[in-house]
RNA sequence: GCCAGCAUAGCUCAGAUGGUAGAGCAACUGAUUUGUAAUCAGUGGGUCGGGGGUUCGAUUCCCUCUGCUGGCUCCA
């Protein structure tokens, strides 16, 4: 009696034994390049390379350059780091250390937090461990044995993990003197780690709970070889050049000021122009799609925020002010005014859906540590709308919003991710309402064939929602558009409409934004285009560059013509060399540099230079205006 | 809010074991009239983020506040 082993999609091979290690099995199967294999899949489950199989199986080698292989190597690297840290800092307690995108981290509890200065020594120690090529050995033991083992070492976090697991047995991985509780699998030995770098330290709460211990986290990146690592680090450097805070300064778009306060943006002429153009585009899109534009006040009586539930649920994030013994809350959301407009008269089912749109300025007192450039601020403008509709209309309205999102993101060439969040534990409303709203959201995405993730239990307390996320230059994802169903506020504010039978009914409310926060969206937009905005939103579309003072007259004529044709143009008439003028316009990423020398002045036109360095052929004044109009119309 | 790092001229950055600072660009003045990523010369410019402490003396060391960056938590 023996085993039958096979590679995926290959003919089986008979083995004359009752069990065989996967390592031998792979050799038996004639697999090449063993040095790249870090683990195996047996019948589609991941195992250590050295594990034993004792029944017939399909074996699939996992190589270090595969997604699964690199993930395993990164995880193992975190174990190596933990070992290094334990050797260098006696008394340190280990907690968890998973692999993450591009690398890994490990959380430690030590008498003091780790500093960036500690990293070189840790890296050096890790390199020693890697050089020793210590094998990763797996063993299983009972939970009680494991608790005793870790308890003796004073590793109380590990004990807590095992206790919470509640499993009968747990597995332990040991390399050299270091053992860690771990499910695995791991690479065969530490020598398989070829390229890693510790990148940063950070604080992190034990189990992500801010009421529990603050641990010290060390992050690292790891790749299958040095070339990959270098190219990753280089890409990171490139991405930093797109940073919207940096570009915002270079392109003179906006600023922040210590003396004004954190999280408050001051828009400079060019930045405000960019913002204005985006807002203008959006306003028109809303009118086209049957929205009415409205505007509510910035401060509303605190009583009203109490009625809406914001005071109870959101007070810590709100700003308040008091006038004549009357407390007012500065709005963190725009819905209340919109509901009062709805309530201002009796509504019929014939009026629905009603869609109120506002470029609503809101203030939210975000915690200081979360502020970030334009992406997370305390004062921002939402392209906010509230749709009031009958329960039957809900599905179509959601589809309308998602289509709106798709169209707008398409204009800017954005890829985005959708995520639906379902009913949380703490929530209000009937099961029926939740069920209907959730399925409306899902059906809308299905009907539009959109891909989405499900985030169980992460909805708002008043209803489920779809979030749309965009990524910044450093690949961090930010929530932009959101569609939320709400049955609570219509209830609290007793909103109603008269149905076909003459009966009062409750409308459903959809909260939605398309760009989300205009500030955040522009931040991502800056990084998306690296500051080189397409013509239709470029704050300055064209700059006229003269060669000598003799050309001033023609330059001024051209400037006037461009402005009259509606273009955002300026002229650089300084007594400077053309090379300098080109350089400066280039650094400002202006789409069109219109060069005027004696030749152009004589012929009454320009030689356009694009910011990609290309020159276009001579154009007359009329021709360049037509050329720009065409490009602007195409929103390129 | 928590952990770590940072804060020097308008900008980008040097600098000193504690003895009050420097470059390039920008600005200003002058010369130059110039053809596709920096023409040359000269001049002015800083309470070294704010406050407090240690010290004969603090921009440098300590504390604290403010702001920024990277994480954590948060984002009804």
């Amino acid at each position: 009696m023996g085993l039958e082993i096979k590679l995926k999609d290959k003919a089986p091979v008979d083995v004359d034994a009752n069990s065989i290690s996967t390592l031998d099995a792979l050799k038996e199967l004639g697999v090449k390049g063993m040095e790249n294999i870090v683990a195996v899949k047996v019948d589609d489950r991941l195992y250590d390379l050295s594990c034993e199989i004792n029944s017939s199986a399909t074996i699939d080698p996992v190589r270090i350059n595969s997604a699964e292989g690199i993930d395993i190597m990164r995880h193992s690297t975190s174990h190596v780091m933990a070992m290094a840290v334990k050797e260098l800092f006696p008394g340190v307690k280990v907690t968890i250390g998973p692999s993450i995108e591009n690398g890994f981290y490990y959380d430690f509890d030590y008498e003091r937090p780790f500093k960036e200065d500690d990293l070189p020594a840790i890296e050096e120690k890790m390199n020693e461990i890697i050089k020793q090529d210590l094998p990763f050995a797996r063993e299983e033991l009972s939970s009680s044995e494991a608790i005793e083992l870790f308890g003796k070492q004073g590793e109380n976090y590990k004990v807590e993990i095992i206790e919470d697991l509640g499993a009968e047995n747990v597995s332990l991985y040991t390399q050299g003197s270091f053992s860690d509780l771990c499910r695995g699998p791991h690479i065969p030995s530490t020598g398989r780690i070829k390229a890693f770098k510790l990148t940063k330290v950070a604080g992190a709460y034990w189990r992500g709970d801010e009421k529990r211990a603050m641990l010290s986290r060390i992050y690292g990146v790891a790749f299958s070889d040095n070339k990959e690592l270098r190219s990753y680090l280089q890409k990171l450097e490139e991405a930093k050049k797109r940073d919207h805070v940096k570009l915002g300064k270079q392109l003179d778009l906006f600023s922040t000021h210590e003396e004004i306060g954190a999280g408050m943006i001051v828009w400079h002429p060019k930045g405000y122009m960019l913002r204005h153009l985006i807002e203008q585009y959006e306003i028109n899109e809303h009118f086209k799609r049957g929205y009415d534009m409205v505007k509510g006040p910035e401060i509303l009586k605190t009583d009203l925020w109490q009625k809406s539930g914001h005071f109870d649920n959101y007070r810590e994030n709100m700003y308040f002010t008091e006038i004549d013994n009357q407390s007012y809350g500065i709005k963190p959301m725009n819905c209340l005014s919109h509901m009062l407009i709805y309530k201002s008269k009796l509504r019929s089912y014939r009026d629905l859906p009603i869609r109120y749109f506002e470029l609503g300025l809101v203030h939210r007192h975000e915690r200081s540590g979360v502020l970030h450039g334009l992406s997370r601020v305390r004062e921002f403008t939402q392209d906010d709308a509230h749709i009031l509709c009958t329960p039957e209309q809900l599905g179509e309205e959601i589809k309308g919003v998602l289509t709106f999102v798709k169209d707008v993101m398409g204009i800017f060439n954005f890829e985005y991710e959708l995520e639906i969040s379902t009913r949380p534990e703490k929530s209000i409303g009937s099961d029926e309402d939740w069920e209907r709203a959730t399925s409306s959201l899902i059906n809308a995405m299905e009907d539009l064939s959109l891909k989405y993730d499900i985030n169980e239990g992460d909805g708002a307390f008043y209803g489920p929602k779809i979030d749309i996320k965009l990524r910044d230059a450093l690949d961090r994802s930010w929530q932009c558009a959101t569609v939320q169903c709400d049955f609570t506020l219509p209830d609290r504010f007793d909103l109603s409409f008269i149905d076909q039978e003459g009966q009062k009914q409750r409308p459903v409310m959809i909260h939605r934004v398309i760009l989300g926060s205009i500030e955040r969206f522009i931040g991502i937009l800056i990084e998306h285009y690296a500051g080189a905005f397409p013509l239709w939103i470029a704050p300055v579309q064209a700059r006229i560059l003269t060669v000598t003072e003799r050309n001033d007259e023609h330059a001024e004529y051209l400037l006037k013509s461009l402005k009259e044709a509606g273009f955002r143009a300026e002229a650089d008439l300084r007594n400077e060399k053309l090379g300098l003028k080109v350089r400066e316009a280039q650094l400002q990423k202006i789409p069109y540099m219109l060069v005027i020398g004696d030749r152009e002045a004589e012929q009454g036109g320009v030689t356009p230079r694009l910011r990609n360095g290309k020159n276009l052929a001579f154009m007359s004044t009329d021709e360049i205006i037509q050329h720009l109009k065409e490009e602007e119309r195409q929103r390129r």
Side-chain angles (χ1 to χ4, degrees), chain A residues 409-424:
Chain A
M409 294 304 145
I411 288 284
F412 295 105
N413 277 316
F414 268 122
E415 308 254 336
Y416 58 96
E417 295 152 34
L418 290 165
E419 206 171 71
I420 179 162
S421 297
T422 57
R423 185 166 194 169

Side-chain angles (χ1 to χ4, degrees), chain A residues 314-584:
Chain A
Y314 203 65
R315 188 179 3 179
E316 318 74 57
N317 284 309
M318 284 180 68
Y319 293 91
F320 291 94
T321 184
E322 201 178 295
I323 306 158
D324 290 345
N325 289 323
Q326 174 67 57
S327 171
Y328 287 83
I330 300 172
K331 68 172 176 176
M333 286 129 195
N334 307 299
C335 20
L336 301 197
S337 303
H338 295 192
M339 279 192 297
L340 293 182
I341 300 170
Y342 181 90
K343 252 179 98 82
S344 64
K345 63 182 196 186
L346 195 59
R347 304 289 175 177
S348 149
Y349 72 94
R350 296 172 194 274
D351 299 327
L352 302 184
I354 285 175
R355 310 184 187 94
Y356 293 134
F357 169 63
E358 173 172 356
L359 283 170
L361 179 68
V362 295
H363 291 78
R364 300 181 182 179
H365 188 86
E366 303 287 359
R367 299 217 260 177
S368 61
V370 306
L371 299 174
H372 173 80
L374 294 176
S375 311
R376 192 82 181 264
V377 291
R378 287 181 173 156
E379 184 196 271
F380 58 100
T381 300
Q382 292 179 303
D383 58 336
D384 203 2
H386 294 91
I387 299 171
L388 291 138
C389 63
T390 67
E392 294 73 36
Q393 290 168 331
L394 189 58
E396 274 309 302
E397 287 306 307
I398 294 166
K399 267 205 257 180
V401 171
L402 291 177
T403 307
F404 199 165
V405 170
K406 195 167 131 196
D407 293 349
V408 172
M409 294 304 145
I411 288 284
F412 295 105
N413 277 316
F414 268 122
E415 308 254 336
Y416 58 96
E417 295 152 34
L418 290 165
E419 206 171 71
I420 179 162
S421 297
T422 57
R423 185 166 194 169
E425 264 177 49
K426 233 182 87 184
S427 58
I428 45 181
S430 69
D431 287 350
E432 196 195 346
D433 282 342
W434 274 90
E435 178 46 40
R436 193 182 54 228
T438 308
S439 59
S440 299
L441 290 171
I442 290 177
N443 290 342
M445 291 189 290
E446 298 280 352
D447 285 356
L448 297 169
S449 337
L450 297 167
K451 270 196 208 147
Y452 59 92
D453 288 329
I454 298 179
N455 216 341
E456 293 290 351
D458 208 32
F461 73 88
Y462 51 72
K465 59 175 182 172
I466 296 173
D467 289 331
I468 286 104
K469 296 181 169 180
L470 298 179
R471 287 178 183 271
D472 70 10
L474 288 175
D475 220 31
R476 291 174 293 207
S477 97
W478 295 93
Q479 183 194 309
C480 289
T482 174
V483 194
Q484 311 184 345
C485 296
D486 185 354
F487 354 95
T488 307
L489 282 177
D491 214 46
R492 286 197 178 208
F493 280 75
D494 194 25
L495 303 187
S496 63
F497 66 91
I498 307 299
D499 70 12
Q500 290 161 76
E501 269 85 53
Q503 299 298 308
K504 258 195 185 181
Q505 268 207 51
R506 193 73 79 208
V508 185
M509 181 154 88
I510 301 171
H511 306 248
R512 53 107 279 196
V513 290
I514 304 290
L515 306 179
S517 144
I518 304 283
E519 281 76 0
R520 172 179 294 178
F521 183 78
I522 289 179
I524 293 173
L525 199 67
I526 291 170
E527 301 192 1
H528 180 62
Y529 289 120
F533 302 108
L535 191 71
W536 72 284
I537 49 169
V540 176
Q541 297 171 300
R543 185 184 281 178
I544 299 163
L545 312 180
T546 52
V547 177
T548 91
E549 270 173 12
R550 291 192 298 280
N551 314 130
D552 285 4
E553 198 183 328
H554 180 53
E556 272 165 35
Y557 166 75
L558 179 70
L559 181 64
K560 196 166 154 248
S561 307
L562 286 171
K563 284 194 166 169
E564 273 170 10
F567 290 106
R568 302 179 290 280
E570 54 190 35
D572 185 349
L573 305 181
R574 292 174 305 164
N575 173 14
E576 295 286 356
K577 288 190 164 174
L578 185 59
L580 180 89
K581 295 185 182 185
V582 167
R583 177 183 155 79
E584 289 185 356

